[in-house]
PDB file of all heavy atoms in Angstrom:
ATOM      1  N   VAL J 244      -7.228   5.549  18.837  1.00 87.00           N
ATOM      2  CA  VAL J 244      -7.889   6.086  20.124  1.00 87.00           C
ATOM      3  C   VAL J 244      -9.365   5.798  19.993  1.00 87.00           C
ATOM      4  O   VAL J 244     -10.132   5.409  20.885  1.00 87.00           O
ATOM      5  CB  VAL J 244      -7.492   7.582  20.367  1.00 87.00           C
ATOM      6  CG1 VAL J 244      -8.310   8.132  21.638  1.00 87.00           C
ATOM      7  CG2 VAL J 244      -6.021   7.720  20.648  1.00 87.00           C
ATOM      8  N   PHE J 245      -9.907   6.165  18.774  1.00 85.00           N
ATOM      9  CA  PHE J 245     -11.366   6.097  18.530  1.00 85.00           C
ATOM     10  C   PHE J 245     -11.835   4.632  18.877  1.00 85.00           C
ATOM     11  O   PHE J 245     -12.856   4.407  19.337  1.00 85.00           O
ATOM     12  CB  PHE J 245     -11.535   6.458  17.098  1.00 85.00           C
ATOM     13  CG  PHE J 245     -13.008   6.658  16.668  1.00 85.00           C
ATOM     14  CD1 PHE J 245     -13.985   7.019  17.708  1.00 85.00           C
ATOM     15  CD2 PHE J 245     -13.394   6.560  15.399  1.00 85.00           C
ATOM     16  CE1 PHE J 245     -15.257   7.158  17.387  1.00 85.00           C
ATOM     17  CE2 PHE J 245     -14.795   6.757  15.078  1.00 85.00           C
ATOM     18  CZ  PHE J 245     -15.759   7.065  16.082  1.00 85.00           C
ATOM     19  N   GLY J 246     -10.937   3.650  18.336  1.00 84.00           N
ATOM     20  CA  GLY J 246     -11.335   2.227  18.505  1.00 84.00           C
ATOM     21  C   GLY J 246     -10.900   1.688  19.864  1.00 84.00           C
ATOM     22  O   GLY J 246     -11.216   0.463  20.049  1.00 84.00           O
ATOM     23  N   GLY J 247     -10.288   2.430  20.649  1.00 82.00           N
ATOM     24  CA  GLY J 247      -9.763   1.826  21.906  1.00 82.00           C
ATOM     25  C   GLY J 247      -8.332   1.392  21.748  1.00 82.00           C
ATOM     26  O   GLY J 247      -8.129   0.292  21.381  1.00 82.00           O
ATOM     27  N   ILE J 248      -7.431   2.370  22.070  1.00 80.00           N
ATOM     28  CA  ILE J 248      -6.025   2.008  21.782  1.00 80.00           C
ATOM     29  C   ILE J 248      -5.616   0.704  22.668  1.00 80.00           C
ATOM     30  O   ILE J 248      -5.954   0.701  23.805  1.00 80.00           O
ATOM     31  CB  ILE J 248      -5.048   3.165  22.091  1.00 80.00           C
ATOM     32  CG1 ILE J 248      -3.673   2.979  21.433  1.00 80.00           C
ATOM     33  CG2 ILE J 248      -4.990   3.582  23.506  1.00 80.00           C
ATOM     34  CD1 ILE J 248      -2.887   4.185  21.191  1.00 80.00           C
ATOM     35  N   GLY J 249      -4.966  -0.073  21.923  1.00 77.00           N
ATOM     36  CA  GLY J 249      -4.603  -1.472  22.547  1.00 77.00           C
ATOM     37  C   GLY J 249      -5.455  -2.528  21.942  1.00 77.00           C
ATOM     38  O   GLY J 249      -5.100  -3.756  22.077  1.00 77.00           O
ATOM     39  N   SER J 250      -6.445  -2.220  21.296  1.00 83.00           N
ATOM     40  CA  SER J 250      -7.407  -3.167  20.676  1.00 83.00           C
ATOM     41  C   SER J 250      -7.123  -3.233  19.136  1.00 83.00           C
ATOM     42  O   SER J 250      -7.394  -2.235  18.486  1.00 83.00           O
ATOM     43  CB  SER J 250      -8.803  -2.863  20.992  1.00 83.00           C
ATOM     44  OG  SER J 250      -9.767  -3.657  20.269  1.00 83.00           O
ATOM     45  N   ILE J 251      -6.744  -4.372  18.655  1.00 86.00           N
ATOM     46  CA  ILE J 251      -6.588  -4.518  17.178  1.00 86.00           C
ATOM     47  C   ILE J 251      -7.844  -4.419  16.435  1.00 86.00           C
ATOM     48  O   ILE J 251      -7.952  -3.654  15.354  1.00 86.00           O
ATOM     49  CB  ILE J 251      -5.793  -5.726  16.836  1.00 86.00           C
ATOM     50  CG1 ILE J 251      -4.385  -5.636  17.335  1.00 86.00           C
ATOM     51  CG2 ILE J 251      -5.835  -6.091  15.344  1.00 86.00           C
ATOM     52  CD1 ILE J 251      -3.486  -6.944  17.268  1.00 86.00           C
ATOM     53  N   PRO J 252      -8.893  -5.147  16.731  1.00 87.00           N
ATOM     54  CA  PRO J 252     -10.146  -4.897  16.085  1.00 87.00           C
ATOM     55  C   PRO J 252     -10.741  -3.437  16.103  1.00 87.00           C
ATOM     56  O   PRO J 252     -11.413  -2.947  15.302  1.00 87.00           O
ATOM     57  CB  PRO J 252     -11.196  -5.902  16.855  1.00 87.00           C
ATOM     58  CG  PRO J 252     -10.281  -6.911  17.410  1.00 87.00           C
ATOM     59  CD  PRO J 252      -9.048  -6.151  17.786  1.00 87.00           C
ATOM     60  N   GLY J 253     -10.554  -2.981  17.314  1.00 89.00           N
ATOM     61  CA  GLY J 253     -10.921  -1.463  17.511  1.00 89.00           C
ATOM     62  C   GLY J 253     -10.195  -0.608  16.572  1.00 89.00           C
ATOM     63  O   GLY J 253     -10.768   0.383  16.046  1.00 89.00           O
ATOM     64  N   ALA J 254      -8.871  -0.819  16.444  1.00 90.00           N
ATOM     65  CA  ALA J 254      -8.078   0.088  15.589  1.00 90.00           C
ATOM     66  C   ALA J 254      -8.630  -0.109  14.117  1.00 90.00           C
ATOM     67  O   ALA J 254      -8.669   0.974  13.381  1.00 90.00           O
ATOM     68  CB  ALA J 254      -6.585  -0.383  15.502  1.00 90.00           C
ATOM     69  N   MET J 255      -8.984  -1.328  13.781  1.00 90.00           N
ATOM     70  CA  MET J 255      -9.496  -1.435  12.311  1.00 90.00           C
ATOM     71  C   MET J 255     -10.775  -0.865  12.170  1.00 90.00           C
ATOM     72  O   MET J 255     -11.107   0.031  11.232  1.00 90.00           O
ATOM     73  CB  MET J 255      -9.640  -3.007  12.055  1.00 90.00           C
ATOM     74  CG  MET J 255     -10.285  -3.299  10.721  1.00 90.00           C
ATOM     75  SD  MET J 255     -10.514  -5.089  10.404  1.00 90.00           S
ATOM     76  CE  MET J 255     -11.443  -4.945   8.848  1.00 90.00           C
ATOM     77  N   LEU J 256     -11.766  -1.000  13.187  1.00 91.00           N
ATOM     78  CA  LEU J 256     -13.019  -0.346  13.057  1.00 91.00           C
ATOM     79  C   LEU J 256     -12.868   1.160  13.192  1.00 91.00           C
ATOM     80  O   LEU J 256     -13.498   1.946  12.457  1.00 91.00           O
ATOM     81  CB  LEU J 256     -13.914  -0.811  14.336  1.00 91.00           C
ATOM     82  CG  LEU J 256     -15.300  -0.230  14.380  1.00 91.00           C
ATOM     83  CD1 LEU J 256     -16.184  -0.685  13.110  1.00 91.00           C
ATOM     84  CD2 LEU J 256     -16.059  -0.729  15.532  1.00 91.00           C
ATOM     85  N   GLY J 257     -11.961   1.687  14.067  1.00 91.00           N
ATOM     86  CA  GLY J 257     -11.849   3.079  14.273  1.00 91.00           C
ATOM     87  C   GLY J 257     -11.345   3.682  12.909  1.00 91.00           C
ATOM     88  O   GLY J 257     -11.737   4.772  12.494  1.00 91.00           O
ATOM     89  N   GLY J 258     -10.364   2.969  12.184  1.00 92.00           N
ATOM     90  CA  GLY J 258      -9.818   3.580  10.980  1.00 92.00           C
ATOM     91  C   GLY J 258     -10.864   3.591   9.890  1.00 92.00           C
ATOM     92  O   GLY J 258     -10.926   4.679   9.233  1.00 92.00           O
ATOM     93  N   ILE J 259     -11.581   2.660   9.890  1.00 91.00           N
ATOM     94  CA  ILE J 259     -12.655   2.613   8.733  1.00 91.00           C
ATOM     95  C   ILE J 259     -13.712   3.696   9.004  1.00 91.00           C
ATOM     96  O   ILE J 259     -14.135   4.451   8.074  1.00 91.00           O
ATOM     97  CB  ILE J 259     -13.301   1.207   8.592  1.00 91.00           C
ATOM     98  CG1 ILE J 259     -12.282   0.240   7.919  1.00 91.00           C
ATOM     99  CG2 ILE J 259     -14.587   1.273   7.692  1.00 91.00           C
ATOM    100  CD1 ILE J 259     -12.775  -1.163   8.038  1.00 91.00           C
ATOM    101  N   LEU J 260     -14.248   3.804  10.196  1.00 90.00           N
ATOM    102  CA  LEU J 260     -15.190   4.806  10.622  1.00 90.00           C
ATOM    103  C   LEU J 260     -14.602   6.210  10.354  1.00 90.00           C
ATOM    104  O   LEU J 260     -15.371   7.147   9.888  1.00 90.00           O
ATOM    105  CB  LEU J 260     -15.650   4.694  12.084  1.00 90.00           C
ATOM    106  CG  LEU J 260     -16.567   3.505  12.491  1.00 90.00           C
ATOM    107  CD1 LEU J 260     -16.830   3.393  13.836  1.00 90.00           C
ATOM    108  CD2 LEU J 260     -17.944   3.747  11.753  1.00 90.00           C
ATOM    109  N   LEU J 261     -13.327   6.338  10.806  1.00 91.00           N
ATOM    110  CA  LEU J 261     -12.627   7.718  10.567  1.00 91.00           C
ATOM    111  C   LEU J 261     -12.574   8.078   9.040  1.00 91.00           C
ATOM    112  O   LEU J 261     -12.821   9.275   8.576  1.00 91.00           O
ATOM    113  CB  LEU J 261     -11.399   7.725  11.246  1.00 91.00           C
ATOM    114  CG  LEU J 261     -10.823   9.019  11.733  1.00 91.00           C
ATOM    115  CD1 LEU J 261     -11.677   9.707  12.707  1.00 91.00           C
ATOM    116  CD2 LEU J 261      -9.340   9.088  12.103  1.00 91.00           C
ATOM    117  N   GLY J 262     -12.288   7.068   8.252  1.00 91.00           N
ATOM    118  CA  GLY J 262     -12.183   7.304   6.917  1.00 91.00           C
ATOM    119  C   GLY J 262     -13.578   7.734   6.226  1.00 91.00           C
ATOM    120  O   GLY J 262     -13.624   8.563   5.390  1.00 91.00           O
ATOM    121  N   VAL J 263     -14.562   6.986   6.639  1.00 91.00           N
ATOM    122  CA  VAL J 263     -15.970   7.372   6.158  1.00 91.00           C
ATOM    123  C   VAL J 263     -16.351   8.728   6.686  1.00 91.00           C
ATOM    124  O   VAL J 263     -16.840   9.546   5.865  1.00 91.00           O
ATOM    125  CB  VAL J 263     -16.872   6.427   6.632  1.00 91.00           C
ATOM    126  CG1 VAL J 263     -18.362   6.736   6.270  1.00 91.00           C
ATOM    127  CG2 VAL J 263     -16.637   5.045   6.012  1.00 91.00           C
ATOM    128  N   ILE J 264     -16.084   9.144   7.885  1.00 90.00           N
ATOM    129  CA  ILE J 264     -16.449  10.395   8.504  1.00 90.00           C
ATOM    130  C   ILE J 264     -15.630  11.400   7.570  1.00 90.00           C
ATOM    131  O   ILE J 264     -16.250  12.530   7.238  1.00 90.00           O
ATOM    132  CB  ILE J 264     -16.065  10.492   9.871  1.00 90.00           C
ATOM    133  CG1 ILE J 264     -17.029   9.571  10.722  1.00 90.00           C
ATOM    134  CG2 ILE J 264     -16.133  11.918  10.377  1.00 90.00           C
ATOM    135  CD1 ILE J 264     -16.574   9.445  12.161  1.00 90.00           C
ATOM    136  N   GLU J 265     -14.406  11.301   7.432  1.00 90.00           N
ATOM    137  CA  GLU J 265     -13.481  12.209   6.631  1.00 90.00           C
ATOM    138  C   GLU J 265     -14.155  12.471   5.320  1.00 90.00           C
ATOM    139  O   GLU J 265     -14.300  13.624   4.799  1.00 90.00           O
ATOM    140  CB  GLU J 265     -12.100  11.782   6.642  1.00 90.00           C
ATOM    141  CG  GLU J 265     -11.203  12.714   5.817  1.00 90.00           C
ATOM    142  CD  GLU J 265      -9.828  12.107   5.673  1.00 90.00           C
ATOM    143  OE1 GLU J 265      -9.464  11.102   6.200  1.00 90.00           O
ATOM    144  OE2 GLU J 265      -9.006  12.666   4.961  1.00 90.00           O
ATOM    145  N   ASN J 266     -14.359  11.358   4.592  1.00 90.00           N
ATOM    146  CA  ASN J 266     -14.774  11.466   3.132  1.00 90.00           C
ATOM    147  C   ASN J 266     -16.225  12.192   3.055  1.00 90.00           C
ATOM    148  O   ASN J 266     -16.478  12.982   2.115  1.00 90.00           O
ATOM    149  CB  ASN J 266     -14.917  10.119   2.520  1.00 90.00           C
ATOM    150  CG  ASN J 266     -13.926  10.015   1.252  1.00 90.00           C
ATOM    151  OD1 ASN J 266     -12.709  10.322   1.456  1.00 90.00           O
ATOM    152  ND2 ASN J 266     -14.418   9.789   0.164  1.00 90.00           N
ATOM    153  N   LEU J 267     -17.168  11.815   3.971  1.00 88.00           N
ATOM    154  CA  LEU J 267     -18.460  12.403   3.918  1.00 88.00           C
ATOM    155  C   LEU J 267     -18.455  13.883   4.366  1.00 88.00           C
ATOM    156  O   LEU J 267     -19.183  14.563   3.828  1.00 88.00           O
ATOM    157  CB  LEU J 267     -19.388  11.513   4.921  1.00 88.00           C
ATOM    158  CG  LEU J 267     -19.853  10.136   4.467  1.00 88.00           C
ATOM    159  CD1 LEU J 267     -20.726   9.464   5.456  1.00 88.00           C
ATOM    160  CD2 LEU J 267     -20.380  10.098   3.007  1.00 88.00           C
ATOM    161  N   SER J 268     -17.497  14.168   5.275  1.00 89.00           N
ATOM    162  CA  SER J 268     -17.202  15.576   5.580  1.00 89.00           C
ATOM    163  C   SER J 268     -16.833  16.414   4.368  1.00 89.00           C
ATOM    164  O   SER J 268     -17.347  17.515   4.161  1.00 89.00           O
ATOM    165  CB  SER J 268     -16.302  15.777   6.748  1.00 89.00           C
ATOM    166  OG  SER J 268     -16.690  15.026   7.845  1.00 89.00           O
ATOM    167  N   LYS J 269     -15.894  15.880   3.627  1.00 87.00           N
ATOM    168  CA  LYS J 269     -15.429  16.554   2.471  1.00 87.00           C
ATOM    169  C   LYS J 269     -16.518  16.725   1.473  1.00 87.00           C
ATOM    170  O   LYS J 269     -16.627  17.834   0.788  1.00 87.00           O
ATOM    171  CB  LYS J 269     -14.234  15.705   1.866  1.00 87.00           C
ATOM    172  CG  LYS J 269     -12.833  15.853   2.493  1.00 87.00           C
ATOM    173  CD  LYS J 269     -11.906  15.004   1.819  1.00 87.00           C
ATOM    174  CE  LYS J 269     -10.471  15.020   2.471  1.00 87.00           C
ATOM    175  NZ  LYS J 269      -9.500  14.309   1.859  1.00 87.00           N
ATOM    176  N   ALA J 270     -17.257  15.712   1.295  1.00 84.00           N
ATOM    177  CA  ALA J 270     -18.415  15.758   0.206  1.00 84.00           C
ATOM    178  C   ALA J 270     -19.485  16.657   0.564  1.00 84.00           C
ATOM    179  O   ALA J 270     -20.060  17.284  -0.315  1.00 84.00           O
ATOM    180  CB  ALA J 270     -18.841  14.265  -0.051  1.00 84.00           C
ATOM    181  N   TYR J 271     -19.946  16.545   1.853  1.00 84.00           N
ATOM    182  CA  TYR J 271     -21.328  17.216   2.268  1.00 84.00           C
ATOM    183  C   TYR J 271     -21.099  18.413   3.148  1.00 84.00           C
ATOM    184  O   TYR J 271     -22.127  19.081   3.373  1.00 84.00           O
ATOM    185  CB  TYR J 271     -22.116  16.179   2.911  1.00 84.00           C
ATOM    186  CG  TYR J 271     -22.438  15.137   1.959  1.00 84.00           C
ATOM    187  CD1 TYR J 271     -22.023  13.780   2.033  1.00 84.00           C
ATOM    188  CD2 TYR J 271     -23.287  15.294   0.841  1.00 84.00           C
ATOM    189  CE1 TYR J 271     -22.278  12.801   1.182  1.00 84.00           C
ATOM    190  CE2 TYR J 271     -23.682  14.264  -0.087  1.00 84.00           C
ATOM    191  CZ  TYR J 271     -23.171  12.920   0.059  1.00 84.00           C
ATOM    192  OH  TYR J 271     -23.433  11.987  -0.695  1.00 84.00           O
ATOM    193  N   ILE J 272     -19.929  18.593   3.744  1.00 84.00           N
ATOM    194  CA  ILE J 272     -19.777  19.736   4.643  1.00 84.00           C
ATOM    195  C   ILE J 272     -18.811  20.803   4.058  1.00 84.00           C
ATOM    196  O   ILE J 272     -19.147  21.787   3.449  1.00 84.00           O
ATOM    197  CB  ILE J 272     -19.329  19.416   6.151  1.00 84.00           C
ATOM    198  CG1 ILE J 272     -20.437  18.392   6.628  1.00 84.00           C
ATOM    199  CG2 ILE J 272     -19.174  20.525   7.004  1.00 84.00           C
ATOM    200  CD1 ILE J 272     -20.106  17.910   8.049  1.00 84.00           C
TER     201      ILE J 272
END
Side-chain angles (χ1 to χ4, degrees):
V244 174
F245 192 24
I248 193 160
S250 167
I251 290 172
M255 179 181 171
L256 181 62
I259 291 173
L260 287 175
L261 205 68
V263 172
I264 291 169
E265 179 186 354
N266 242 57
L267 293 179
S268 300
K269 285 180 179 178
Y271 298 109
I272 301 176

